[in-house]
């Protein structure tokens, strides 16, 4: 997974590069503003999509961890009951 600082650095650099490129383009101001708006909307959509994918991965990882934790808890509970039964049997041997 990409480090947060690296990710935001890439997004910022891409946006800045797009804006600078359009500002130096030989188009009229209205055309340049339209291009900037389209590019900004495109970058925003890509960012939202990337964030949604990241969110989905985090949710999936959390669900997996929860399932593993529940399994470990159940396994430990079963083992504790088994040991308690064994201990009770040992105690009854001497009574």
């Amino acid at each position: 997974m990409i480090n947060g600082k690296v990710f935001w650095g890439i997004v910022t650099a891409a946006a800045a590069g797009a804006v600078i490129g359009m500002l130096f383009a030989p188009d009229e101001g209205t055309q340049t503003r339209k291009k900037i708006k389209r590019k900004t909307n495109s970058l925003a959509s890509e960012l939202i999509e990337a964030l949604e994918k990241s969110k989905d991965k985090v949710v999936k990882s959390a669900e997996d961890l929860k399932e593993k934790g529940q399994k470990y808890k159940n396994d430990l509970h079963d083992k504790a009951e088994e040991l308690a039964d064994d201990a009770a049997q040992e105690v009854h041997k001497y009574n």
Side-chain angles (χ1 to χ4, degrees), residues 1 5 9 14 19 28 33 35 40 42 80 86 91 95:
M1 185 169 207
K5 290 181 181 180
V19 170
E28 292 181 6
R33 285 190 292 278
K35 284 183 180 180
T40 302
S42 173
D86 291 348
V91 168
N95 284 335

Side-chain angles (χ1 to χ4, degrees), residues 4-92:
K5 290 181 181 180
V6 172
F7 176 76
W8 287 112
I10 291 170
V11 169
T12 302
V19 170
I20 289 170
M22 286 183 233
L23 290 175
F24 287 102
D27 290 331
E28 292 181 6
T30 55
Q31 286 298 103
T32 300
R33 285 190 292 278
K34 285 180 185 178
K35 284 183 180 180
I36 290 172
K37 183 178 179 181
R38 279 195 303 269
K39 189 63 176 178
T40 302
N41 288 340
S42 173
L43 287 171
S45 295
E46 290 173 16
L47 178 60
I48 289 169
E49 184 178 324
L51 290 173
E52 287 174 353
K53 285 180 182 178
S54 294
K55 177 187 151 204
D56 292 342
K57 287 180 182 178
V58 168
V59 168
K60 174 75 170 109
S61 294
E63 289 170 353
D64 290 347
L65 286 173
K66 182 178 177 182
E67 287 176 19
K68 286 180 182 178
Q70 187 65 40
K71 182 184 179 317
Y72 289 136
K73 176 187 163 200
N74 292 339
D75 289 349
L76 288 172
H77 184 266
D78 293 345
K79 187 65 175 176
E81 284 184 344
E82 181 183 319
L83 292 172
D85 290 343
D86 291 348
Q89 288 176 3
E90 288 296 318
V91 168
H92 287 299

